[in-house]
PDB file of all heavy atoms in Angstrom:
ATOM      1  N   ALA H 154       2.518   6.069   4.187  1.00 96.00           N
ATOM      2  CA  ALA H 154       1.360   5.961   3.284  1.00 96.00           C
ATOM      3  C   ALA H 154       1.814   6.034   1.833  1.00 96.00           C
ATOM      4  O   ALA H 154       1.314   5.291   0.969  1.00 96.00           O
ATOM      5  CB  ALA H 154       0.358   7.072   3.585  1.00 96.00           C
ATOM      6  N   TYR H 155       2.755   6.912   1.555  1.00 96.00           N
ATOM      7  CA  TYR H 155       3.285   7.077   0.193  1.00 96.00           C
ATOM      8  C   TYR H 155       3.949   5.794  -0.294  1.00 96.00           C
ATOM      9  O   TYR H 155       3.712   5.339  -1.424  1.00 96.00           O
ATOM     10  CB  TYR H 155       4.265   8.256   0.183  1.00 96.00           C
ATOM     11  CG  TYR H 155       5.136   8.359  -1.045  1.00 96.00           C
ATOM     12  CD1 TYR H 155       4.582   8.566  -2.304  1.00 96.00           C
ATOM     13  CD2 TYR H 155       6.525   8.268  -0.943  1.00 96.00           C
ATOM     14  CE1 TYR H 155       5.384   8.680  -3.434  1.00 96.00           C
ATOM     15  CE2 TYR H 155       7.336   8.379  -2.067  1.00 96.00           C
ATOM     16  CZ  TYR H 155       6.764   8.577  -3.300  1.00 96.00           C
ATOM     17  OH  TYR H 155       7.568   8.685  -4.414  1.00 96.00           O
ATOM     18  N   VAL H 156       4.765   5.160   0.564  1.00 94.00           N
ATOM     19  CA  VAL H 156       5.433   3.914   0.178  1.00 94.00           C
ATOM     20  C   VAL H 156       4.401   2.818  -0.078  1.00 94.00           C
ATOM     21  O   VAL H 156       4.483   2.074  -1.057  1.00 94.00           O
ATOM     22  CB  VAL H 156       6.452   3.465   1.254  1.00 94.00           C
ATOM     23  CG1 VAL H 156       7.000   2.079   0.924  1.00 94.00           C
ATOM     24  CG2 VAL H 156       7.589   4.472   1.360  1.00 94.00           C
ATOM     25  N   ALA H 157       3.398   2.720   0.806  1.00 97.00           N
ATOM     26  CA  ALA H 157       2.340   1.727   0.614  1.00 97.00           C
ATOM     27  C   ALA H 157       1.627   1.960  -0.722  1.00 97.00           C
ATOM     28  O   ALA H 157       1.330   1.005  -1.456  1.00 97.00           O
ATOM     29  CB  ALA H 157       1.342   1.785   1.766  1.00 97.00           C
ATOM     30  N   ALA H 158       1.367   3.208  -1.055  1.00 97.00           N
ATOM     31  CA  ALA H 158       0.689   3.539  -2.317  1.00 97.00           C
ATOM     32  C   ALA H 158       1.549   3.164  -3.521  1.00 97.00           C
ATOM     33  O   ALA H 158       1.029   2.728  -4.558  1.00 97.00           O
ATOM     34  CB  ALA H 158       0.342   5.024  -2.355  1.00 97.00           C
ATOM     35  N   LYS H 159       2.867   3.316  -3.402  1.00 95.00           N
ATOM     36  CA  LYS H 159       3.762   2.929  -4.504  1.00 95.00           C
ATOM     37  C   LYS H 159       3.638   1.440  -4.801  1.00 95.00           C
ATOM     38  O   LYS H 159       3.574   1.032  -5.963  1.00 95.00           O
ATOM     39  CB  LYS H 159       5.217   3.276  -4.170  1.00 95.00           C
ATOM     40  CG  LYS H 159       5.515   4.768  -4.136  1.00 95.00           C
ATOM     41  CD  LYS H 159       6.996   5.073  -4.240  1.00 95.00           C
ATOM     42  CE  LYS H 159       7.812   4.504  -3.108  1.00 95.00           C
ATOM     43  NZ  LYS H 159       9.236   4.890  -3.204  1.00 95.00           N
ATOM     44  N   TYR H 160       3.618   0.629  -3.750  1.00 95.00           N
ATOM     45  CA  TYR H 160       3.453  -0.812  -3.950  1.00 95.00           C
ATOM     46  C   TYR H 160       2.061  -1.130  -4.505  1.00 95.00           C
ATOM     47  O   TYR H 160       1.901  -2.010  -5.343  1.00 95.00           O
ATOM     48  CB  TYR H 160       3.658  -1.569  -2.639  1.00 95.00           C
ATOM     49  CG  TYR H 160       5.098  -1.663  -2.186  1.00 95.00           C
ATOM     50  CD1 TYR H 160       5.472  -1.280  -0.909  1.00 95.00           C
ATOM     51  CD2 TYR H 160       6.085  -2.164  -3.043  1.00 95.00           C
ATOM     52  CE1 TYR H 160       6.791  -1.378  -0.493  1.00 95.00           C
ATOM     53  CE2 TYR H 160       7.406  -2.254  -2.628  1.00 95.00           C
ATOM     54  CZ  TYR H 160       7.762  -1.871  -1.345  1.00 95.00           C
ATOM     55  OH  TYR H 160       9.066  -1.970  -0.940  1.00 95.00           O
ATOM     56  N   TYR H 161       1.067  -0.405  -4.021  1.00 97.00           N
ATOM     57  CA  TYR H 161      -0.320  -0.682  -4.407  1.00 97.00           C
ATOM     58  C   TYR H 161      -0.586  -0.359  -5.878  1.00 97.00           C
ATOM     59  O   TYR H 161      -1.360  -1.059  -6.536  1.00 97.00           O
ATOM     60  CB  TYR H 161      -1.268   0.133  -3.515  1.00 97.00           C
ATOM     61  CG  TYR H 161      -2.730  -0.107  -3.787  1.00 97.00           C
ATOM     62  CD1 TYR H 161      -3.327  -1.311  -3.432  1.00 97.00           C
ATOM     63  CD2 TYR H 161      -3.519   0.864  -4.394  1.00 97.00           C
ATOM     64  CE1 TYR H 161      -4.677  -1.542  -3.677  1.00 97.00           C
ATOM     65  CE2 TYR H 161      -4.862   0.643  -4.641  1.00 97.00           C
ATOM     66  CZ  TYR H 161      -5.434  -0.557  -4.283  1.00 97.00           C
ATOM     67  OH  TYR H 161      -6.759  -0.791  -4.531  1.00 97.00           O
ATOM     68  N   CYS H 162       0.047   0.669  -6.384  1.00 97.00           N
ATOM     69  CA  CYS H 162      -0.281   1.184  -7.720  1.00 97.00           C
ATOM     70  C   CYS H 162       0.610   0.671  -8.842  1.00 97.00           C
ATOM     71  O   CYS H 162       0.385   1.001 -10.005  1.00 97.00           O
ATOM     72  CB  CYS H 162      -0.231   2.711  -7.720  1.00 97.00           C
ATOM     73  SG  CYS H 162      -1.545   3.489  -6.773  1.00 97.00           S
ATOM     74  N   THR H 163       1.632  -0.106  -8.519  1.00 94.00           N
ATOM     75  CA  THR H 163       2.572  -0.556  -9.549  1.00 94.00           C
ATOM     76  C   THR H 163       2.730  -2.073  -9.512  1.00 94.00           C
ATOM     77  O   THR H 163       2.336  -2.730  -8.545  1.00 94.00           O
ATOM     78  CB  THR H 163       3.955   0.091  -9.365  1.00 94.00           C
ATOM     79  OG1 THR H 163       4.570  -0.421  -8.173  1.00 94.00           O
ATOM     80  CG2 THR H 163       3.844   1.609  -9.273  1.00 94.00           C
ATOM     81  N   SER H 164       3.356  -2.599 -10.564  1.00 92.00           N
ATOM     82  CA  SER H 164       3.627  -4.045 -10.601  1.00 92.00           C
ATOM     83  C   SER H 164       4.971  -4.364  -9.952  1.00 92.00           C
ATOM     84  O   SER H 164       5.254  -5.517  -9.663  1.00 92.00           O
ATOM     85  CB  SER H 164       3.646  -4.534 -12.049  1.00 92.00           C
ATOM     86  OG  SER H 164       4.765  -3.997 -12.739  1.00 92.00           O
ATOM     87  N   TYR H 165       5.799  -3.336  -9.722  1.00 87.00           N
ATOM     88  CA  TYR H 165       7.146  -3.499  -9.162  1.00 87.00           C
ATOM     89  C   TYR H 165       8.007  -4.381 -10.071  1.00 87.00           C
ATOM     90  O   TYR H 165       8.940  -5.020  -9.628  1.00 87.00           O
ATOM     91  CB  TYR H 165       7.060  -4.071  -7.744  1.00 87.00           C
ATOM     92  CG  TYR H 165       8.313  -3.922  -6.908  1.00 87.00           C
ATOM     93  CD1 TYR H 165       8.927  -2.683  -6.741  1.00 87.00           C
ATOM     94  CD2 TYR H 165       8.865  -5.010  -6.245  1.00 87.00           C
ATOM     95  CE1 TYR H 165      10.056  -2.548  -5.953  1.00 87.00           C
ATOM     96  CE2 TYR H 165       9.995  -4.892  -5.457  1.00 87.00           C
ATOM     97  CZ  TYR H 165      10.590  -3.653  -5.310  1.00 87.00           C
ATOM     98  OH  TYR H 165      11.718  -3.516  -4.526  1.00 87.00           O
TER      99      TYR H 165
END
Side-chain angles (χ1 to χ4, degrees):
Y155 166 63
V156 173
K159 291 198 298 183
Y160 286 128
Y161 182 71
C162 291
T163 69
S164 68
Y165 197 53

